[in-house]
Amino acid sequence: MLELRDLVKHYPAIGGEPVRAVDGVSLEVAPGEMVALYGPSGSGKTTLLLMVAALLAPTSGKVLVGGRDVSDLSEREASRYRLSELGFVRQNFDLLPGVSALDNAVLKLLKTTRWREAHARVRPLMERLGLGERLAHRSELLSMGERQRVMIARALSTEPQLLLADEPTGSLDTQRSREVLDLLRGISHERGVAIVLVSHDPQAATYADRVHSLRDGKLLAHEPDKDYVGVALQ
């Protein structure tokens, strides 16, 4: 489903070596597989996702989704790709104020689906995310964790074949984090969705089918933190 071939993103630096945000990453993610990229802030995780989402052009290398290099898409083609094929859970909460949680969750789906049908499709997902009693609450009345789950519901609403999740548990407590991670893994396996999850949360790594570390822009073998030994794969 997703193949990265020697992907590179360098940024120029004044009077010094270029910043190597992503430095020669190669990776394959199959349909129905959840892969976690585990690493600290500044390791290149978000930059990598932005290139997969065709929001940032690589310096070199290829991003192949279903065999097509998405870095070569026109602006219109890239927009269509993000709408119909890709789900992206980003760190920023792009929620409309004064609008209910359910209406915020269906915004992406409304571009291709009627309002009533969109509500019917997204409501069960919201309930599965523990938001069943918060559907009518305005976004500004939701907790940070609830806003995060609304964004996850929006990303999944169009039933994408590839899902990118940038720190999806960053604003959640331990129990909600487990519930969201379990949901993502379940959707990956049930629907054949390829998921790339990036995080610095060691718990997130335990739910993935495969785990890699990303440090200084390079993909490395994952070595679990010694203080997190004992967390079993669910």
Side-chain angles (χ1 to χ4, degrees), residues 143-169:
S143 70
M144 295 296 285
E146 288 167 342
R147 295 178 193 182
Q148 180 79 292
R149 282 176 279 155
V150 171
M151 295 302 300
I152 292 171
R154 182 190 293 174
L156 292 170
S157 66
T158 56
E159 300 183 358
Q161 290 305 298
L162 173 62
L163 178 72
L164 309 178
D166 191 357
E167 303 287 359
T169 61

PDB file of all heavy atoms in Angstrom, residues 143-169:
ATOM      1  N   SER A 143     -13.117  18.603  26.156  1.00  0.00           N
ATOM      2  CA  SER A 143     -11.760  18.545  26.695  1.00  0.00           C
ATOM      3  C   SER A 143     -10.769  18.347  25.557  1.00  0.00           C
ATOM      4  O   SER A 143     -11.138  18.028  24.423  1.00  0.00           O
ATOM      5  CB  SER A 143     -11.640  17.382  27.692  1.00  0.00           C
ATOM      6  OG  SER A 143     -11.715  16.145  27.004  1.00  0.00           O
ATOM      7  N   MET A 144      -9.484  18.515  25.864  1.00  0.00           N
ATOM      8  CA  MET A 144      -8.463  18.318  24.842  1.00  0.00           C
ATOM      9  C   MET A 144      -8.497  16.890  24.308  1.00  0.00           C
ATOM     10  O   MET A 144      -8.366  16.654  23.105  1.00  0.00           O
ATOM     11  CB  MET A 144      -7.083  18.636  25.424  1.00  0.00           C
ATOM     12  CG  MET A 144      -6.894  20.093  25.810  1.00  0.00           C
ATOM     13  SD  MET A 144      -6.981  21.212  24.384  1.00  0.00           S
ATOM     14  CE  MET A 144      -5.400  20.883  23.633  1.00  0.00           C
ATOM     15  N   GLY A 145      -8.686  15.929  25.200  1.00  0.00           N
ATOM     16  CA  GLY A 145      -8.758  14.542  24.778  1.00  0.00           C
ATOM     17  C   GLY A 145      -9.962  14.265  23.899  1.00  0.00           C
ATOM     18  O   GLY A 145      -9.885  13.498  22.928  1.00  0.00           O
ATOM     19  N   GLU A 146     -11.094  14.896  24.218  1.00  0.00           N
ATOM     20  CA  GLU A 146     -12.292  14.728  23.398  1.00  0.00           C
ATOM     21  C   GLU A 146     -12.110  15.354  22.025  1.00  0.00           C
ATOM     22  O   GLU A 146     -12.540  14.797  21.010  1.00  0.00           O
ATOM     23  CB  GLU A 146     -13.497  15.332  24.119  1.00  0.00           C
ATOM     24  CG  GLU A 146     -13.943  14.501  25.327  1.00  0.00           C
ATOM     25  CD  GLU A 146     -14.917  15.238  26.226  1.00  0.00           C
ATOM     26  OE1 GLU A 146     -15.003  16.478  26.143  1.00  0.00           O
ATOM     27  OE2 GLU A 146     -15.598  14.563  27.032  1.00  0.00           O
ATOM     28  N   ARG A 147     -11.451  16.497  21.965  1.00  0.00           N
ATOM     29  CA  ARG A 147     -11.177  17.124  20.675  1.00  0.00           C
ATOM     30  C   ARG A 147     -10.270  16.240  19.821  1.00  0.00           C
ATOM     31  O   ARG A 147     -10.471  16.126  18.611  1.00  0.00           O
ATOM     32  CB  ARG A 147     -10.519  18.493  20.888  1.00  0.00           C
ATOM     33  CG  ARG A 147     -11.407  19.507  21.585  1.00  0.00           C
ATOM     34  CD  ARG A 147     -10.685  20.823  21.815  1.00  0.00           C
ATOM     35  NE  ARG A 147     -11.420  21.670  22.741  1.00  0.00           N
ATOM     36  CZ  ARG A 147     -11.061  22.881  23.098  1.00  0.00           C
ATOM     37  NH1 ARG A 147      -9.947  23.409  22.595  1.00  0.00           N
ATOM     38  NH2 ARG A 147     -11.777  23.578  23.952  1.00  0.00           N
ATOM     39  N   GLN A 148      -9.309  15.615  20.465  1.00  0.00           N
ATOM     40  CA  GLN A 148      -8.419  14.700  19.752  1.00  0.00           C
ATOM     41  C   GLN A 148      -9.213  13.564  19.122  1.00  0.00           C
ATOM     42  O   GLN A 148      -8.998  13.182  17.963  1.00  0.00           O
ATOM     43  CB  GLN A 148      -7.366  14.140  20.722  1.00  0.00           C
ATOM     44  CG  GLN A 148      -6.369  13.182  20.111  1.00  0.00           C
ATOM     45  CD  GLN A 148      -5.284  13.907  19.355  1.00  0.00           C
ATOM     46  OE1 GLN A 148      -5.528  14.516  18.319  1.00  0.00           O
ATOM     47  NE2 GLN A 148      -4.066  13.839  19.852  1.00  0.00           N
ATOM     48  N   ARG A 149     -10.175  13.020  19.873  1.00  0.00           N
ATOM     49  CA  ARG A 149     -10.960  11.892  19.356  1.00  0.00           C
ATOM     50  C   ARG A 149     -11.913  12.327  18.248  1.00  0.00           C
ATOM     51  O   ARG A 149     -12.197  11.553  17.335  1.00  0.00           O
ATOM     52  CB  ARG A 149     -11.705  11.225  20.518  1.00  0.00           C
ATOM     53  CG  ARG A 149     -10.790  10.328  21.361  1.00  0.00           C
ATOM     54  CD  ARG A 149     -11.495   9.755  22.554  1.00  0.00           C
ATOM     55  NE  ARG A 149     -11.550  10.711  23.647  1.00  0.00           N
ATOM     56  CZ  ARG A 149     -12.466  10.708  24.609  1.00  0.00           C
ATOM     57  NH1 ARG A 149     -13.435   9.821  24.586  1.00  0.00           N
ATOM     58  NH2 ARG A 149     -12.419  11.598  25.573  1.00  0.00           N
ATOM     59  N   VAL A 150     -12.392  13.558  18.286  1.00  0.00           N
ATOM     60  CA  VAL A 150     -13.204  14.075  17.175  1.00  0.00           C
ATOM     61  C   VAL A 150     -12.357  14.125  15.904  1.00  0.00           C
ATOM     62  O   VAL A 150     -12.827  13.762  14.812  1.00  0.00           O
ATOM     63  CB  VAL A 150     -13.767  15.472  17.505  1.00  0.00           C
ATOM     64  CG1 VAL A 150     -14.409  16.094  16.264  1.00  0.00           C
ATOM     65  CG2 VAL A 150     -14.795  15.386  18.631  1.00  0.00           C
ATOM     66  N   MET A 151     -11.109  14.537  16.028  1.00  0.00           N
ATOM     67  CA  MET A 151     -10.231  14.600  14.868  1.00  0.00           C
ATOM     68  C   MET A 151      -9.940  13.204  14.312  1.00  0.00           C
ATOM     69  O   MET A 151      -9.838  13.014  13.098  1.00  0.00           O
ATOM     70  CB  MET A 151      -8.918  15.296  15.234  1.00  0.00           C
ATOM     71  CG  MET A 151      -9.064  16.767  15.610  1.00  0.00           C
ATOM     72  SD  MET A 151      -9.811  17.760  14.298  1.00  0.00           S
ATOM     73  CE  MET A 151      -8.642  17.538  12.977  1.00  0.00           C
ATOM     74  N   ILE A 152      -9.833  12.227  15.197  1.00  0.00           N
ATOM     75  CA  ILE A 152      -9.628  10.850  14.754  1.00  0.00           C
ATOM     76  C   ILE A 152     -10.861  10.356  13.997  1.00  0.00           C
ATOM     77  O   ILE A 152     -10.750   9.726  12.940  1.00  0.00           O
ATOM     78  CB  ILE A 152      -9.318   9.943  15.960  1.00  0.00           C
ATOM     79  CG1 ILE A 152      -7.942  10.298  16.539  1.00  0.00           C
ATOM     80  CG2 ILE A 152      -9.360   8.469  15.567  1.00  0.00           C
ATOM     81  CD1 ILE A 152      -7.628   9.624  17.860  1.00  0.00           C
ATOM     82  N   ALA A 153     -12.056  10.668  14.531  1.00  0.00           N
ATOM     83  CA  ALA A 153     -13.294  10.275  13.856  1.00  0.00           C
ATOM     84  C   ALA A 153     -13.373  10.917  12.477  1.00  0.00           C
ATOM     85  O   ALA A 153     -13.775  10.273  11.496  1.00  0.00           O
ATOM     86  CB  ALA A 153     -14.500  10.674  14.704  1.00  0.00           C
ATOM     87  N   ARG A 154     -12.995  12.172  12.355  1.00  0.00           N
ATOM     88  CA  ARG A 154     -13.029  12.852  11.053  1.00  0.00           C
ATOM     89  C   ARG A 154     -12.083  12.176  10.070  1.00  0.00           C
ATOM     90  O   ARG A 154     -12.435  11.950   8.901  1.00  0.00           O
ATOM     91  CB  ARG A 154     -12.656  14.328  11.202  1.00  0.00           C
ATOM     92  CG  ARG A 154     -12.730  15.086   9.889  1.00  0.00           C
ATOM     93  CD  ARG A 154     -12.117  16.475  10.003  1.00  0.00           C
ATOM     94  NE  ARG A 154     -12.894  17.343  10.876  1.00  0.00           N
ATOM     95  CZ  ARG A 154     -12.502  18.568  11.224  1.00  0.00           C
ATOM     96  NH1 ARG A 154     -11.350  19.054  10.778  1.00  0.00           N
ATOM     97  NH2 ARG A 154     -13.257  19.309  12.026  1.00  0.00           N
ATOM     98  N   ALA A 155     -10.883  11.847  10.523  1.00  0.00           N
ATOM     99  CA  ALA A 155      -9.905  11.221   9.631  1.00  0.00           C
ATOM    100  C   ALA A 155     -10.379   9.858   9.137  1.00  0.00           C
ATOM    101  O   ALA A 155     -10.091   9.464   8.005  1.00  0.00           O
ATOM    102  CB  ALA A 155      -8.571  11.076  10.353  1.00  0.00           C
ATOM    103  N   LEU A 156     -11.124   9.139   9.982  1.00  0.00           N
ATOM    104  CA  LEU A 156     -11.597   7.803   9.627  1.00  0.00           C
ATOM    105  C   LEU A 156     -12.937   7.818   8.904  1.00  0.00           C
ATOM    106  O   LEU A 156     -13.371   6.783   8.385  1.00  0.00           O
ATOM    107  CB  LEU A 156     -11.711   6.947  10.884  1.00  0.00           C
ATOM    108  CG  LEU A 156     -10.391   6.570  11.574  1.00  0.00           C
ATOM    109  CD1 LEU A 156     -10.673   5.939  12.930  1.00  0.00           C
ATOM    110  CD2 LEU A 156      -9.581   5.617  10.705  1.00  0.00           C
ATOM    111  N   SER A 157     -13.601   8.967   8.858  1.00  0.00           N
ATOM    112  CA  SER A 157     -14.979   9.038   8.361  1.00  0.00           C
ATOM    113  C   SER A 157     -15.116   8.621   6.905  1.00  0.00           C
ATOM    114  O   SER A 157     -16.152   8.089   6.496  1.00  0.00           O
ATOM    115  CB  SER A 157     -15.528  10.462   8.542  1.00  0.00           C
ATOM    116  OG  SER A 157     -14.829  11.390   7.721  1.00  0.00           O
ATOM    117  N   THR A 158     -14.094   8.864   6.090  1.00  0.00           N
ATOM    118  CA  THR A 158     -14.169   8.557   4.661  1.00  0.00           C
ATOM    119  C   THR A 158     -13.663   7.146   4.351  1.00  0.00           C
ATOM    120  O   THR A 158     -13.510   6.791   3.175  1.00  0.00           O
ATOM    121  CB  THR A 158     -13.354   9.573   3.852  1.00  0.00           C
ATOM    122  OG1 THR A 158     -12.006   9.594   4.345  1.00  0.00           O
ATOM    123  CG2 THR A 158     -13.952  10.964   3.966  1.00  0.00           C
ATOM    124  N   GLU A 159     -13.389   6.371   5.402  1.00  0.00           N
ATOM    125  CA  GLU A 159     -12.903   4.998   5.254  1.00  0.00           C
ATOM    126  C   GLU A 159     -11.674   4.933   4.338  1.00  0.00           C
ATOM    127  O   GLU A 159     -11.656   4.230   3.325  1.00  0.00           O
ATOM    128  CB  GLU A 159     -14.012   4.086   4.740  1.00  0.00           C
ATOM    129  CG  GLU A 159     -15.216   4.035   5.673  1.00  0.00           C
ATOM    130  CD  GLU A 159     -16.297   3.087   5.206  1.00  0.00           C
ATOM    131  OE1 GLU A 159     -16.142   2.483   4.121  1.00  0.00           O
ATOM    132  OE2 GLU A 159     -17.291   2.915   5.933  1.00  0.00           O
ATOM    133  N   PRO A 160     -10.618   5.657   4.707  1.00  0.00           N
ATOM    134  CA  PRO A 160      -9.411   5.690   3.873  1.00  0.00           C
ATOM    135  C   PRO A 160      -8.679   4.355   3.894  1.00  0.00           C
ATOM    136  O   PRO A 160      -8.821   3.565   4.836  1.00  0.00           O
ATOM    137  CB  PRO A 160      -8.568   6.784   4.539  1.00  0.00           C
ATOM    138  CG  PRO A 160      -8.971   6.722   5.986  1.00  0.00           C
ATOM    139  CD  PRO A 160     -10.441   6.428   5.954  1.00  0.00           C
ATOM    140  N   GLN A 161      -7.881   4.121   2.868  1.00  0.00           N
ATOM    141  CA  GLN A 161      -7.056   2.919   2.815  1.00  0.00           C
ATOM    142  C   GLN A 161      -5.683   3.145   3.446  1.00  0.00           C
ATOM    143  O   GLN A 161      -4.963   2.187   3.715  1.00  0.00           O
ATOM    144  CB  GLN A 161      -6.902   2.466   1.366  1.00  0.00           C
ATOM    145  CG  GLN A 161      -8.184   1.918   0.779  1.00  0.00           C
ATOM    146  CD  GLN A 161      -8.757   0.779   1.631  1.00  0.00           C
ATOM    147  OE1 GLN A 161      -8.126  -0.260   1.797  1.00  0.00           O
ATOM    148  NE2 GLN A 161      -9.951   0.990   2.167  1.00  0.00           N
ATOM    149  N   LEU A 162      -5.324   4.410   3.693  1.00  0.00           N
ATOM    150  CA  LEU A 162      -4.076   4.756   4.356  1.00  0.00           C
ATOM    151  C   LEU A 162      -4.379   5.813   5.404  1.00  0.00           C
ATOM    152  O   LEU A 162      -4.997   6.832   5.100  1.00  0.00           O
ATOM    153  CB  LEU A 162      -3.059   5.288   3.333  1.00  0.00           C
ATOM    154  CG  LEU A 162      -1.743   5.844   3.898  1.00  0.00           C
ATOM    155  CD1 LEU A 162      -0.965   4.756   4.636  1.00  0.00           C
ATOM    156  CD2 LEU A 162      -0.880   6.437   2.763  1.00  0.00           C
ATOM    157  N   LEU A 163      -3.952   5.565   6.628  1.00  0.00           N
ATOM    158  CA  LEU A 163      -4.170   6.508   7.723  1.00  0.00           C
ATOM    159  C   LEU A 163      -2.836   6.898   8.328  1.00  0.00           C
ATOM    160  O   LEU A 163      -2.020   6.036   8.671  1.00  0.00           O
ATOM    161  CB  LEU A 163      -5.068   5.888   8.797  1.00  0.00           C
ATOM    162  CG  LEU A 163      -5.338   6.775  10.021  1.00  0.00           C
ATOM    163  CD1 LEU A 163      -6.282   7.919   9.654  1.00  0.00           C
ATOM    164  CD2 LEU A 163      -5.918   5.965  11.171  1.00  0.00           C
ATOM    165  N   LEU A 164      -2.619   8.203   8.457  1.00  0.00           N
ATOM    166  CA  LEU A 164      -1.447   8.743   9.126  1.00  0.00           C
ATOM    167  C   LEU A 164      -1.903   9.329  10.456  1.00  0.00           C
ATOM    168  O   LEU A 164      -2.875  10.085  10.497  1.00  0.00           O
ATOM    169  CB  LEU A 164      -0.789   9.830   8.280  1.00  0.00           C
ATOM    170  CG  LEU A 164      -0.482   9.472   6.823  1.00  0.00           C
ATOM    171  CD1 LEU A 164       0.130  10.674   6.116  1.00  0.00           C
ATOM    172  CD2 LEU A 164       0.431   8.259   6.734  1.00  0.00           C
ATOM    173  N   ALA A 165      -1.210   9.005  11.521  1.00  0.00           N
ATOM    174  CA  ALA A 165      -1.590   9.496  12.848  1.00  0.00           C
ATOM    175  C   ALA A 165      -0.368  10.109  13.522  1.00  0.00           C
ATOM    176  O   ALA A 165       0.596   9.400  13.833  1.00  0.00           O
ATOM    177  CB  ALA A 165      -2.164   8.363  13.697  1.00  0.00           C
ATOM    178  N   ASP A 166      -0.419  11.416  13.714  1.00  0.00           N
ATOM    179  CA  ASP A 166       0.693  12.155  14.313  1.00  0.00           C
ATOM    180  C   ASP A 166       0.386  12.414  15.785  1.00  0.00           C
ATOM    181  O   ASP A 166      -0.413  13.276  16.120  1.00  0.00           O
ATOM    182  CB  ASP A 166       0.886  13.483  13.558  1.00  0.00           C
ATOM    183  CG  ASP A 166       2.180  14.176  13.931  1.00  0.00           C
ATOM    184  OD1 ASP A 166       2.910  13.665  14.808  1.00  0.00           O
ATOM    185  OD2 ASP A 166       2.477  15.231  13.342  1.00  0.00           O
ATOM    186  N   GLU A 167       1.018  11.638  16.657  1.00  0.00           N
ATOM    187  CA  GLU A 167       0.801  11.734  18.114  1.00  0.00           C
ATOM    188  C   GLU A 167      -0.696  11.666  18.450  1.00  0.00           C
ATOM    189  O   GLU A 167      -1.232  12.570  19.121  1.00  0.00           O
ATOM    190  CB  GLU A 167       1.405  13.035  18.653  1.00  0.00           C
ATOM    191  CG  GLU A 167       2.889  13.215  18.380  1.00  0.00           C
ATOM    192  CD  GLU A 167       3.772  12.312  19.235  1.00  0.00           C
ATOM    193  OE1 GLU A 167       3.235  11.554  20.054  1.00  0.00           O
ATOM    194  OE2 GLU A 167       4.997  12.360  19.057  1.00  0.00           O
ATOM    195  N   PRO A 168      -1.407  10.616  18.044  1.00  0.00           N
ATOM    196  CA  PRO A 168      -2.859  10.574  18.271  1.00  0.00           C
ATOM    197  C   PRO A 168      -3.258  10.433  19.725  1.00  0.00           C
ATOM    198  O   PRO A 168      -4.419  10.654  20.061  1.00  0.00           O
ATOM    199  CB  PRO A 168      -3.290   9.337  17.465  1.00  0.00           C
ATOM    200  CG  PRO A 168      -2.086   8.454  17.472  1.00  0.00           C
ATOM    201  CD  PRO A 168      -0.917   9.401  17.377  1.00  0.00           C
ATOM    202  N   THR A 169      -2.318  10.087  20.602  1.00  0.00           N
ATOM    203  CA  THR A 169      -2.641   9.955  22.025  1.00  0.00           C
ATOM    204  C   THR A 169      -2.004  11.065  22.851  1.00  0.00           C
ATOM    205  O   THR A 169      -1.994  10.994  24.078  1.00  0.00           O
ATOM    206  CB  THR A 169      -2.167   8.586  22.552  1.00  0.00           C
ATOM    207  OG1 THR A 169      -0.736   8.481  22.409  1.00  0.00           O
ATOM    208  CG2 THR A 169      -2.826   7.456  21.781  1.00  0.00           C
TER     209      THR A 169
END
